[in-house]
Amino acid sequence: MFSNKKNTPHRSAGQVTPTQSSDFEDDPLDYSKVYPDFTVDQIQEMNKSWNMFKTNHSNGGGGALSPMSMGVGDGSCTSTDLSTVSLSRQTSLRNSITLSPSSSDDRGNIWSTLIRRGYNKNLDPKSSAFDDETSERTFDEIPFMEKVRAFFAGLCYELRLGMTTLCKYPHIIFFSFLFFAGLCSASLYLVGVIQERNQDKLANEAKWEAMESGIFFSEMFAKSLIPLRSLQQAVVHSTYFRDLPSRIGNYGEVGSAPAIVGPRSNGLLDYRNVTGICDDEELAAKFQEIVLGINANFEYDGIIVNYRLAPYGVFCVVDPLINVKDFSEDAPMNSTMDIGWDPIHSSNTRWGRLLRDIYKDTNHIDIFGPMFDFVENGVEMYCGHLAVHVPGYNYTVDGEYYSTWGFVMHFIHWSNLKEASGIDYRFRDRGMHYLLTRRDLSIDPVTGKELPNDVVIATNIQGLREMRTEDPVGIMDGIYNQKISAVSIQTANGEWIMRVVHDRDVSTQYIYIRIATVLCVALVTIMFSMILLERQLHKLLLYKIMPLDAIRKLNRGETVVERYNIVTIFFSDIVGFTSMAGEMRPMQVMKMLNELYTEFDKIAEKNGVYKVETIGDAYMVVGGAPERIPAPKAAQRVALFALETLEFVKNFRTSEGHKIHIRAGIASGPVVAGVVGKAMPRYCFFGDTVNLASRMESSSKKMKIQCSDFTRQLIQDAPDFSFEIEQREENGVKGVDLKGKGLTNTWWIRGVSGLHFQESVNGIPGDIESRQSVHVDVIIQSMVLSGQSWSRIGLPDSPLVGATSDQEVMITRVSAMLQHRLEIAMEQRRQGSMNRLQKSQLRSYVKEISTMYNPVDFHNFEHAVHVTTSMNKIIDTIVESVDYGEQGNGSICKTFWQNSFIHFTLIFSCLIHDVEHTGKSNKILAANQHRVAIKFTGPSAERNSIQVALELLFRPKYKFIRKAIFPRIEDRFLFGKCIFWAILCTDIASPENTNNCLRRFNIVHAVRDSLDSAIARGIPPERPNYNPDVCPLLPYLKEVVAYLKLTQKEINDNPEQLKIDQCGIENCVAVEHLMQGSDVAHLMQDWSIFLKFNYRLYKELMACYKSGLMPDPSGNWAIGQIGFFTHYVIPLAERIETICGGSISSLHLSQNARANMNRWQEEGELLTGIFVSGYRNCEAEEDILRSCLSSDNNLL
């Protein structure tokens, strides 16, 4: 019964049992008796270490080890009752301080070692936590680069763990995505709201600025027109200018100033000769005096740069005539050519319209501009025109009379005016750009239609004015993506539109803000995902410690107590663990147990049983609790778990290469489960069933599973599987004597043979494939195939083993056998397990190989599956006998039977050995010049099968399964050699080939006998020298190199791989004989199996006969089979038994072959007649075989 008492640990190593200090003084250990093989010095060192340990433990000094530091006394549950498994104090202490003969310090204690090392191994995630061979260094003593490498190695491990967990639990990704989507949407919405408010704020600022600046421009421009009105009034009220119109006169009148051709006339008489009229110096001085007064009064010096008088529309007086003050000396404003110009009579029609307009409206000022480059580049000018009305003057133009004196004109230096106003600096300081335009109408020169045109009046947008474009507004809209504020202003120059925009591109700025927001949200989401991931990992760790219901009850503060009516409990321990632990350091012991029980945990999870705990070398699982399932199903799960653990242990090796053996016990019955205590809670099981299961284990035997009678009844009622059970009986006594129970009837669980299904109503078993609806694990499928009796391979003992023509079922079986063997080989090579992709590629390869088999009668995929299954049975029998130490002395190769990779290669060879077989012998192929015979000589069909299968394997799509099969170059060499050995020898129709195989057998045995004899006499054996022709690969080395994709460098670097030595030749002989035996296995199995394949071979040869390729085989068929048995099959079986020794004695190969031959001698003539008659009448194969077996009760 499990309890929280400080019981003695059950066969644990590296633990100190908490006892009173007085116990040490009264119970000394005599190490000379405990370890008789130790030297005197080693015994003295051990006594010295023991005295130091005793002193520290008794005094509680610096080196004392408390029960908590030693891993006991912490409330953990023990595996059995004190009354059944308690050890003596002396034995317990001996196990606790066991030291290896080569060590006498306190390294033997894992806990003190870890404390002293300060867990420095955690710096290197790749190193083993159980490796205590490295030097002990503090953190500061570790090189910096080593710390960096360790950091990144740990980071990679965490990333791999995280990705694995995320893939296994996609809800973390789903919730993280929802969190990201929700938080990102909310954040982006908030950013959008802030952006919109900011844009509105900037737009309002721009709008107000547009209004203010627009009004400013309007007022400034209006102010610049006042001097023109002042000049008008000066002309009206001054007597100096009143007679100028009369002196100039109307154009063309008698006595008026004559019309002449001027400097800019273009051939027209648009100038008036005003000499003596307008060149009066006194007149010019008076005009200059008026102009200077006006400029001084309005402070427009440098702004108004030119004034003009035009009596009767003729430019007469100008000031300044040449302006160099407001312009550069190189390009002054020179008005000398304008004196005397009569613009209304010029070719410029605009002047005509302008003057007529101002003459009609006495108060209208006409503004023209802006004029670009009027004087010099970069200068913008405006000009104003205002009519002067003085009573008594009549100005005649083309017959029209205007009551006007003429007009006055001035030029506004717009560039200087803007610069003086500081408007550009104002916008620059506020981070804004503006565009002031006037909407004009222009005439399309092609259509003559008026088109709207925006004229740039002022702007601080770099380059916009220089473009002289007709669409400045469109360009501004293209430059700035944000909202542009526009205000309309009415001026004397028409409607002006002021557009203002902020210099900052708010939308671009907020793009970066959005990106930063998304990145921040992503970072927060990653942190959220890490929280979910860590929570999931913590939950998984917690769920591994105890059941979910128990965790929930503990969280609610409730007491966890549950009763289960029937559960099935499994116990196992390692046989000879005490002596094994005495030869190992505690760290090595823990490493071994960790490797072993980690795999046990995987098997437990796969079979749906609950692991309770491990105590030392003991391992305990329960079926039917805490998940309540029917008792038979629970017993079934535990039994499957037990069988699979035994299968795993058969191939398990410690890091030192040692094999281990376990014994197991199973019992069923009621228990109570619960959590005892509050600190370090453990989910424990209590009850007599626990004790009984422990006694089943302790009384079991090596590599056997013992169960109680009640468990036997439950697994016989298992819903899905059928188990092989045998009653325990020794010396005629059934059962075993259990402490406290007396003589108890117990049973051995030998294996699992298949699935349980109900038969159909008429009692005839239904179709195998339709009944195989329960998912079967790969290992269980392989175990079931291996567990079937040799003689009954192919018979329908269960749906998992019966012969079938269903392609998918056969593919599944072959894939299961290959995967099982390959995983064992990978484990033996410390390569890990196959991943999902490798398993998928292996099945795909088998499936593609199956399609390459031709639909012939005998050499088809179904026969290949039978050969593969037979080979798997032989290998499993040999491995099992070696594990039990039952191998006979006749074996020629001691290491062959423990090389799991060769086992896999043999199974693989059986799969592919007849690929693309045409149903014709090599002799027939050669005689008829078949393409295969043309391509290959000798064993052409076999060589073709090797090429096709290996070329398929080396395609890129199978690169991952290739990596699993031969990760190293030596594995590829061995794989290729075994393939060629196995398949080439199946050309048994060639006498040369069979004679060579027999010759190799005789040579190898002769050499082996000589070597063994020399070793027995103590003489160093001489290295045998073989003739090259002994090696069957010699004629095909080029094909080996080509098909295996070997480079010349790989061949040069590994010359030993192609060397002929004793081990290689022995392996070759073993491979050849096992392959030949499997190829004709049906002749050494059940009579019905022999007949089935014998008839199929007959049909295949009859097909050749009908095609005219060979004589009719019917006449010699009966006697021919006897000759084949006598000269090939029986000698082959005897040689296989010689090679394997006692390993395969249980298969009775030669005995079965003789039995079949004897029966054929009696019935062969009759059966041949049935074959011939049935074939000629096209009867179904089942009917023909039923006729052959009419007196036999075997199922077809």
Side-chain angles (χ1 to χ4, degrees):
M1 181 178 68
F2 282 14
S3 66
N4 284 332
K5 297 178 182 180
K6 299 177 181 177
N7 297 343
T8 302
H10 182 49
R11 294 172 179 82
S12 62
Q15 294 183 348
V16 175
T17 304
T19 58
Q20 299 298 326
S21 61
S22 60
D23 293 341
F24 301 129
E25 299 172 2
D26 299 334
D27 191 17
L29 292 173
D30 187 354
Y31 287 105
S32 62
K33 295 181 180 179
V34 178
Y35 304 104
D37 296 333
F38 280 19
T39 64
V40 176
D41 293 338
Q42 290 172 334
I43 296 297
Q44 290 177 352
E45 288 294 331
M46 295 181 69
N47 283 326
K48 181 180 178 181
S49 299
W50 168 246
N51 291 331
M52 291 176 61
F53 173 81
K54 179 176 63 176
T55 302
N56 288 335
H57 192 83
S58 301
N59 299 336
L65 298 174
S66 66
M68 290 302 292
S69 70
M70 301 305 294
V72 296
D74 58 352
S76 63
C77 301
T78 60
S79 62
T80 57
D81 196 353
L82 279 172
S83 62
T84 60
V85 297
S86 62
L87 304 174
S88 67
R89 181 169 62 245
Q90 181 171 344
T91 304
S92 176
L93 292 175
R94 184 182 303 123
N95 293 338
S96 302
I97 63 170
T98 297
L99 298 173
S100 66
S102 61
S103 176
S104 60
D105 60 7
D106 61 347
R107 278 180 174 271
N109 191 295
I110 180 177
W111 312 109
S112 59
T113 301
L114 288 177
I115 293 172
R116 185 173 63 252
R117 288 167 59 186
Y119 298 95
N120 285 344
K121 292 299 289 182
N122 290 338
L123 290 173
D124 187 3
K126 293 183 178 180
S127 63
S128 172
F130 301 99
D131 184 8
D132 61 347
E133 297 296 331
T134 57
S135 60
E136 299 166 8
R137 299 177 294 178
T138 63
F139 184 82
D140 295 334
E141 294 173 343
I142 299 175
F144 174 75
M145 291 307 298
E146 189 173 336
K147 294 177 184 178
V148 172
R149 286 193 297 269
F151 168 77
F152 283 106
L155 181 62
C156 292
Y157 171 78
E158 292 292 337
L159 289 175
R160 286 196 300 270
L161 177 62
M163 293 304 297
T164 302
T165 307
L166 289 176
C167 294
K168 191 173 182 180
Y169 300 96
H171 71 273
I172 298 178
I173 301 177
F174 175 73
F175 286 118
S176 299
F177 176 77
L178 287 183
F179 178 83
F180 174 80
L183 185 60
C184 191
S185 300
S187 301
L188 292 178
Y189 174 76
L190 183 60
V191 171
V193 171
I194 296 174
Q195 177 186 356
E196 187 176 354
R197 291 183 178 179
N198 198 4
Q199 286 178 331
D200 290 342
K201 177 182 177 182
L202 295 178
N204 290 333
E205 290 179 1
K207 185 175 182 179
W208 285 105
E209 188 63 33
M211 293 178 63
E212 291 181 4
S213 58
I215 294 173
F216 169 78
F217 269 110
S218 177
E219 292 177 349
M220 184 176 62
F221 193 78
K223 184 178 178 182
S224 66
L225 299 179
I226 295 177
L228 189 60
R229 292 190 179 276
S230 299
L231 180 60
Q232 177 198 45
Q233 295 301 315
V235 171
V236 171
H237 298 288
S238 174
T239 58
Y240 291 97
F241 310 108
R242 286 190 177 182
D243 60 343
L244 288 177
S246 58
R247 296 176 63 185
I248 294 175
N250 287 313
Y251 187 87
E253 288 183 354
V254 178
S256 64
I260 61 176
V261 176
R264 296 184 302 182
S265 295
N266 292 326
L268 297 176
L269 298 176
D270 55 357
Y271 272 79
R272 307 283 290 276
N273 187 359
V274 291
T275 303
I277 302 174
C278 297
D279 54 357
D280 186 357
E281 293 182 359
E282 183 179 356
L283 179 66
K286 185 61 178 179
F287 183 70
Q288 184 180 34
E289 179 183 351
I290 295 173
V291 167
L292 292 176
I294 293 174
N295 282 343
N297 184 43
F298 293 102
E299 299 179 353
Y300 266 5
D301 190 23
I303 304 299
I304 310 298
V305 295
N306 189 272
Y307 290 89
R308 298 183 180 187
L309 293 181
Y312 276 1
V314 179
F315 289 118
C316 182
V317 184
V318 179
D319 187 79
L321 188 61
I322 301 175
N323 189 344
V324 295
K325 176 182 176 183
D326 300 315
F327 301 93
S328 64
E329 295 181 359
D330 296 334
M333 184 177 182
N334 191 344
S335 303
T336 56
M337 290 189 298
D338 293 332
I339 301 298
W341 186 42
D342 189 355
I344 201 170
H345 294 97
S346 68
S347 60
N348 192 330
T349 58
R350 183 188 177 284
W351 272 102
R353 291 195 303 271
L354 183 152
L355 293 179
R356 286 180 176 85
D357 290 340
I358 63 174
Y359 291 158
K360 293 177 182 179
D361 188 353
T362 58
N363 292 316
H364 174 68
I365 298 179
D366 179 83
I367 306 297
F368 180 77
M371 298 176 289
F372 300 100
D373 306 331
F374 180 71
V375 178
E376 62 179 334
N377 291 336
V379 175
E380 303 171 55
M381 303 282 287
Y382 273 90
C383 59
H385 312 85
L386 180 63
V388 178
H389 294 275
V390 179
Y393 290 92
N394 292 311
Y395 177 50
T396 304
V397 179
D398 297 332
E400 295 184 16
Y401 295 93
Y402 299 96
S403 178
T404 181
W405 177 86
F407 69 93
V408 293
M409 177 180 177
H410 74 339
F411 285 87
I412 304 172
H413 198 305
W414 185 244
S415 298
N416 287 350
L417 180 62
K418 289 192 298 180
E419 184 176 356
S421 67
I423 189 68
D424 286 351
Y425 300 104
R426 174 181 174 181
F427 277 95
R428 185 191 64 187
D429 294 341
R430 298 190 180 186
M432 299 180 182
H433 285 111
Y434 73 93
L435 174 64
L436 182 62
T437 61
R438 183 186 70 240
R439 176 57 61 92
D440 284 352
L441 293 176
S442 60
I443 305 299
D444 189 335
V446 178
T447 62
K449 295 181 179 179
E450 292 185 344
L451 299 176
N453 182 31
D454 291 312
V455 179
V456 177
I457 297 175
T459 182
N460 66 343
I461 300 175
Q462 187 67 27
L464 185 59
R465 179 174 297 281
E466 289 77 1
M467 292 180 184
R468 307 280 178 89
T469 178
E470 296 181 356
D471 188 21
V473 177
I475 294 177
M476 184 179 186
D477 291 337
I479 295 175
Y480 302 100
N481 295 324
Q482 61 265 42
K483 184 178 180 180
I484 299 175
S485 300
V487 176
S488 176
I489 308 161
Q490 295 298 327
T491 67
N493 190 226
E495 181 183 13
W496 288 3
I497 299 176
M498 186 67 172
R499 293 176 174 85
V500 179
V501 65
H502 268 275
D503 189 24
R504 289 182 299 163
D505 190 353
V506 180
S507 59
T508 303
Q509 175 185 355
Y510 274 89
I511 289 176
Y512 296 112
I513 294 177
R514 283 183 169 86
I515 294 174
T517 301
V518 173
L519 293 177
C520 291
V521 171
L523 182 61
V524 174
T525 304
I526 292 174
M527 297 173 64
F528 177 75
S529 301
M530 291 176 65
I531 293 173
L532 293 181
L533 184 62
E534 288 296 326
R535 185 171 180 269
Q536 183 65 43
L537 291 174
H538 292 162
K539 286 170 61 179
L540 293 175
L541 180 61
L542 196 58
Y543 293 162
K544 291 179 180 179
I545 296 174
M546 63 180 61
L548 178 61
D549 291 340
I551 295 172
R552 290 172 177 170
K553 289 183 178 180
L554 288 176
N555 288 336
R556 294 194 297 263
E558 300 177 5
T559 301
V560 181
V561 178
E562 296 174 307
R563 178 179 177 83
Y564 297 92
N565 292 330
I566 300 178
V567 300
T568 300
I569 299 177
F570 166 92
F571 267 105
S572 73
D573 72 347
I574 299 174
V575 177
F577 179 74
T578 303
S579 60
M580 184 185 302
E583 299 173 357
M584 304 167 66
R585 292 188 300 275
M587 186 71 77
Q588 293 175 317
V589 174
M590 291 195 65
K591 182 178 181 181
M592 177 192 69
L593 293 177
N594 180 68
E595 292 174 352
L596 177 66
Y597 289 151
T598 297
E599 294 300 325
F600 277 23
D601 293 343
K602 296 178 182 178
I603 299 172
E605 182 179 1
K606 184 174 70 174
N607 286 280
V609 294
Y610 179 74
K611 174 191 174 183
V612 181
E613 60 184 341
T614 58
I615 311 97
D617 66 320
Y619 193 91
M620 176 184 178
V621 299
V622 174
E627 178 189 2
R628 298 179 185 270
I629 58 176
K633 191 171 186 65
Q636 170 186 290
R637 289 185 179 182
V638 174
L640 289 174
F641 166 78
L643 289 170
E644 193 166 341
T645 54
L646 245 65
E647 185 70 19
F648 169 77
V649 171
K650 287 180 183 179
N651 303 285
F652 178 78
R653 299 292 187 278
T654 65
S655 56
E656 288 75 24
H658 301 306
K659 281 184 64 65
I660 66 170
H661 301 88
I662 67 170
R663 60 184 170 215
I666 302 176
S668 304
V671 294
V672 174
V675 177
V676 180
K678 298 295 184 182
M680 298 185 67
R682 298 290 298 276
Y683 192 73
C684 306
F685 288 81
F686 304 87
D688 187 63
T689 305
V690 180
N691 294 332
L692 180 58
S694 177
R695 293 187 179 100
M696 287 291 105
E697 171 266 317
S698 60
S699 62
S700 182
K701 290 189 176 182
K702 179 173 67 175
M703 298 302 288
K704 289 190 175 183
I705 306 167
Q706 182 177 229
C707 70
S708 65
D709 191 62
F710 184 42
T711 303
R712 188 264 308 176
Q713 297 176 27
L714 291 177
I715 62 177
Q716 283 183 335
D717 295 332
D720 301 322
F721 290 89
S722 172
F723 293 89
E724 298 176 8
I725 305 173
E726 177 186 341
Q727 188 171 18
R728 179 171 183 172
E729 182 177 352
E730 296 177 358
N731 301 323
V733 178
K734 295 183 178 180
V736 64
D737 189 11
L738 300 180
K739 182 179 179 181
K741 300 288 184 179
L743 186 62
T744 305
N745 196 20
T746 62
W747 303 77
W748 299 119
I749 302 178
R750 293 293 189 183
V752 56
S753 59
L755 300 177
H756 271 159
F757 292 93
Q758 293 182 352
E759 294 184 345
S760 58
V761 177
N762 56 15
I764 300 176
D767 181 66
I768 289 173
E769 292 76 40
S770 64
R771 294 184 291 151
Q772 193 169 335
S773 58
V774 178
H775 170 73
V776 182
D777 183 81
V778 168
I779 294 180
I780 295 176
Q781 171 71 81
S782 181
M783 289 170 58
V784 170
L785 291 169
S786 302
Q788 190 177 22
S789 170
W790 164 262
S791 62
R792 296 188 61 79
I793 289 179
L795 294 178
D797 294 337
S798 81
L800 292 182
V801 297
T804 176
S805 59
D806 185 278
Q807 196 86 345
E808 286 299 321
V809 174
M810 292 190 290
I811 291 170
T812 298
R813 292 179 182 178
V814 175
S815 300
M817 290 184 283
L818 284 172
Q819 180 180 327
H820 188 197
R821 294 296 170 190
L822 182 55
E823 286 188 329
I824 294 173
M826 293 172 68
E827 177 66 28
Q828 194 176 67
R829 292 187 303 217
R830 302 288 178 182
Q831 192 180 345
S833 301
M834 295 177 67
N835 57 41
R836 185 177 301 176
L837 182 57
Q838 290 169 337
K839 294 176 183 178
S840 174
Q841 286 190 0
L842 178 61
R843 181 180 174 86
S844 298
Y845 179 81
V846 174
K847 187 172 185 178
E848 195 163 354
I849 283 290
S850 71
T851 63
M852 295 181 174
Y853 272 85
N854 292 318
V856 294
D857 291 297
F858 181 78
H859 293 91
N860 51 32
F861 184 62
E862 185 177 347
H863 176 256
V865 173
H866 185 84
V867 174
T868 304
T869 308
S870 300
M871 176 67 80
N872 183 63
K873 177 62 179 180
I874 295 175
I875 292 174
D876 189 76
T877 304
I878 294 173
V879 171
E880 185 174 1
S881 66
V882 172
D883 288 338
Y884 284 111
E886 299 172 358
Q887 185 179 11
N889 297 324
S891 176
I892 58 172
C893 40
K894 307 294 184 182
T895 60
F896 175 85
W897 315 118
Q898 296 180 352
N899 192 325
S900 301
F901 182 57
I902 296 182
H903 304 164
F904 164 79
T905 308
L906 280 171
I907 302 292
F908 187 90
S909 301
C910 292
L911 166 66
I912 68 172
H913 79 288
D914 277 336
V915 167
E916 289 193 353
H917 199 291
T918 59
K920 304 173 182 65
S921 67
N922 290 327
K923 182 179 179 180
I924 294 176
L925 295 178
N928 291 274
Q929 291 294 301
H930 191 275
R931 62 171 183 85
V932 174
I934 296 174
K935 186 176 182 182
F936 299 105
T937 59
S940 54
E942 289 73 18
R943 292 170 66 184
N944 182 67
S945 297
I946 294 174
Q947 182 190 33
V948 171
L950 291 185
E951 284 183 350
L952 175 64
L953 180 63
F954 276 87
R955 289 181 183 175
K957 63 181 178 179
Y958 294 121
K959 64 178 181 179
F960 293 106
I961 188 58
R962 289 200 305 273
K963 185 176 181 181
I965 295 174
F966 32 79
R968 305 169 301 184
I969 185 64
E970 53 265 34
D971 297 322
R972 194 167 8 144
F973 272 104
L974 180 57
F975 178 79
K977 289 188 293 185
C978 289
I979 293 292
F980 275 81
W981 290 341
I983 298 180
L984 290 176
C985 73
T986 58
D987 182 20
I988 61 176
S990 168
E992 180 184 1
N993 188 54
T994 54
N995 289 335
N996 285 334
C997 292
L998 180 59
R999 174 170 166 257
R1000 276 189 290 273
F1001 174 85
N1002 294 329
I1003 292 175
V1004 165
H1005 274 79
V1007 174
R1008 170 52 58 191
D1009 292 342
S1010 176
L1011 294 175
D1012 292 344
S1013 176
I1015 294 174
R1017 295 196 307 269
I1019 303 173
E1022 296 182 1
R1023 179 178 178 182
N1025 293 321
Y1026 290 99
N1027 291 327
D1029 62 348
V1030 174
C1031 177
L1033 296 183
L1034 188 60
Y1036 313 108
L1037 283 180
K1038 289 185 178 180
E1039 293 176 32
V1040 174
V1041 172
Y1043 299 163
L1044 295 178
K1045 311 295 183 184
L1046 295 171
T1047 64
Q1048 189 61 46
K1049 183 178 184 304
E1050 291 172 334
I1051 297 173
N1052 296 337
D1053 293 344
N1054 299 274
E1056 72 283 354
Q1057 299 296 335
L1058 298 176
K1059 182 175 60 176
I1060 305 175
D1061 57 12
Q1062 181 66 19
C1063 180
I1065 294 297
E1066 288 186 1
N1067 285 341
C1068 172
V1069 170
V1071 167
E1072 286 179 334
H1073 279 73
L1074 292 185
M1075 186 66 189
Q1076 288 176 336
S1078 300
D1079 197 27
V1080 295
H1082 59 281
L1083 288 97
M1084 297 177 276
Q1085 292 169 346
D1086 187 82
W1087 176 251
S1088 62
I1089 298 298
F1090 162 65
L1091 288 182
K1092 179 176 71 172
F1093 285 106
N1094 190 261
Y1095 175 67
R1096 291 180 178 179
L1097 179 60
Y1098 171 78
K1099 285 198 301 180
E1100 188 171 284
L1101 295 181
M1102 285 298 295
C1104 293
Y1105 162 68
K1106 281 194 169 185
S1107 300
L1109 301 177
M1110 64 175 290
D1112 187 351
S1114 304
N1116 296 322
W1117 191 258
I1119 191 66
Q1121 303 311 303
I1122 296 175
F1124 189 60
F1125 271 114
T1126 304
H1127 300 296
Y1128 181 76
V1129 178
I1130 294 176
L1132 173 63
E1134 291 173 344
R1135 292 199 301 273
I1136 294 174
E1137 290 170 342
T1138 300
I1139 292 173
C1140 300
S1143 303
I1144 59 171
S1145 58
S1146 61
L1147 302 183
H1148 308 295
L1149 300 182
S1150 59
Q1151 180 181 338
N1152 291 344
R1154 286 190 179 91
N1156 285 335
M1157 183 187 70
N1158 293 335
R1159 187 167 180 178
W1160 182 264
Q1161 287 176 331
E1162 297 174 1
E1163 306 177 18
E1165 293 292 344
L1166 174 62
L1167 297 177
T1168 301
I1170 296 175
F1171 285 179
V1172 173
S1173 174
Y1175 181 80
R1176 289 176 178 174
N1177 296 328
C1178 300
E1179 297 180 21
E1181 178 183 295
E1182 292 183 359
D1183 295 334
I1184 295 173
L1185 296 179
R1186 186 174 288 107
S1187 299
C1188 295
L1189 297 171
S1190 58
S1191 60
D1192 193 272
N1193 293 323
N1194 289 327
L1195 292 175
L1196 289 177

